[in-house]
Amino acid sequence: MQRFQLYIDGAFTDGSGSFDSIDPATGQPWAVMSEARTADVNRAVDAAHRAFRSREWAGLTASARGKLLYKLADLVQAAAPKLAAIETRDTGKIIRETSAQIAYVAEYYRYYAGMADKIEGAHLPIDKPDMEVWLRREPIGVVAAIVPWNSQLFLSAVKLGPALAAGCTVVLKASEDGPAPMLEFARLVQEAGFPPGVVNIITGFGSECGAVLTAHPKVSHVAFTGGPETARHVVRASAENLASTSLELGGKSPFIVFEDADLDSAVNAQVSGIFAATGQSCVAGSRLLIQRSVKDAFLAKLKAKAEAIRIAAPDDMTTEVGPLCTQRQRDRIDTLVAASTASGAVLVTGGQVPEGQGFYYPPTILDCSDVPDAPALSNEFFGPVLSVVAFDTEEQALDLANDTAFGLASGVFTRSLTRAHRMIRGIRAGVVWVNTYRAVSPIAPFGGHGLSGHGREGGLAAALDYTTVKTVWLRTSDDPIPDPFIMR
Ligand code: NDP
């Protein structure tokens, strides 16, 4: 079996424990991971804290930080095929997706490389004579970055890129499920030449490694991606140190199709919106809201496409849907589908755990049109399961779209420009895609509200989240300071 180590203070090191990583395509262990326990987390945070104040890092110009990020981007691009193969092996995410996604991850590092020397302060036209006042944008400190199993290289790039551009140092905790690509990525961090301690990459279990990291007194900001329940633990733990948080959580995103839409395009977008990444995507368009007049035609096309999807080994370039990352995840999905059909939802296709090895689950469609209380409509599956609800009017579509505690993404398919604008205004979500779905870019901010979290990743605002403002007052008069009992 392959072995992967933690990366702490610029060196590869064993953790205090270890655990097997399971290949989701076979259900068998394939690698041994070092496990960070409390002492290892402390080592990593101490290293990040030292590095934050070191001349080697704090003394670098912003442009020099940018150059390190450019180097990292080039290394990620060159190593993309190897990283993709490891991510596919360790998480079951299909090779078609890991190859394309990791090549694009390099663009995120490039984007933030270019931003490093554009994070500017400001000069204030202050209302007092003989004073100069300006604002310095300074790095916030040690960042704890926590990512879930799906797309770890991508989800860490949207944290590491802006944090490093801003001058922070980072301890990144990879999920216990599928951490190998992150531990391999650490080699590129080392090769790029970041000073020791600037980036530390560890893995371990949430209950110890994650809990100790998020409560650590030397951590200033926690950038978390995961589920809402874990996010509550994270916020409680970070309250210990009053660290700031950014939370990228789950979704139950509406995918709204009006009768005037290009139905074939919308079907393709819906297939990718829910079945890509085997549905393990925070932005999955998991609630299809379909206008009743086209419901039957649309569902017939969708069912045919879903049933034609090639489900096979994730390392096969022709595979379209692979296994789920863990048995636990598949069991959860299967239970939720059963609860939904028991509540009256109609199974259009799928819904059966296949025979054989690996954590596979077929593309599944549940018609919940007559079952507003179906568990499928309120719970995030994080798997290849689509729930369908019919609507008659635009007003109903909007009410249904916003009938969720989440608020991450949404899609609207219509040829009417005016209706599109009304929907954009009315939908409560961090992202609205119109006549498209799942488009992302480092240039475009991304995030949600409600149970989908707060804060934005991507774009300039994300880098500012990793900074703090220092206000500088400088008196320009040489006269003695007068009456000390009046504030000036
Ligand atoms: P979890 O919330 O279970 O885990 C996320 C991360 O938190 C993992 O690294 C986990 O470690 C860690 N963790 C667990 N317990 C703690 C704790 N007490 N303190 C600190 N960290 C802890 O999420 P899932 O793994 O189930 O991931 C799926 C979720 O992530 C879905 O809800 C999905 O929508 C969301 N997501 C959101 C995205 C977004 O950008 N908005 C993108 C992708 C996913 P361990 O794995 O060891 O338990």
Side-chain angles (χ1 to χ4, degrees), residues 147-149 173 175-176 204 206 210 224-227 230 249-250 282 380 382:
V147 291
W149 76 75
K173 178 204 166 309
S175 172
E176 84 205 33
F224 173 79
T225 299
T230 315
L249 312 178
C282 54
E380 183 186 37
F382 218 56

Side-chain angles (χ1 to χ4, degrees), residues 146-150 155 173-177 204-207 210-211 214 224-228 230-231 233-234 248-251 281-282 380 382 408 446 452 457:
I146 299 189
V147 291
W149 76 75
N150 67 313
L155 296 170
K173 178 204 166 309
S175 172
E176 84 205 33
D177 300 315
F205 296 89
S207 53
T214 48
F224 173 79
T225 299
T230 315
H233 286 291
V234 166
E248 294 292 343
L249 312 178
S281 164
C282 54
E380 183 186 37
F382 218 56
L408 189 57
F446 175 85
S452 296
E457 292 186 328

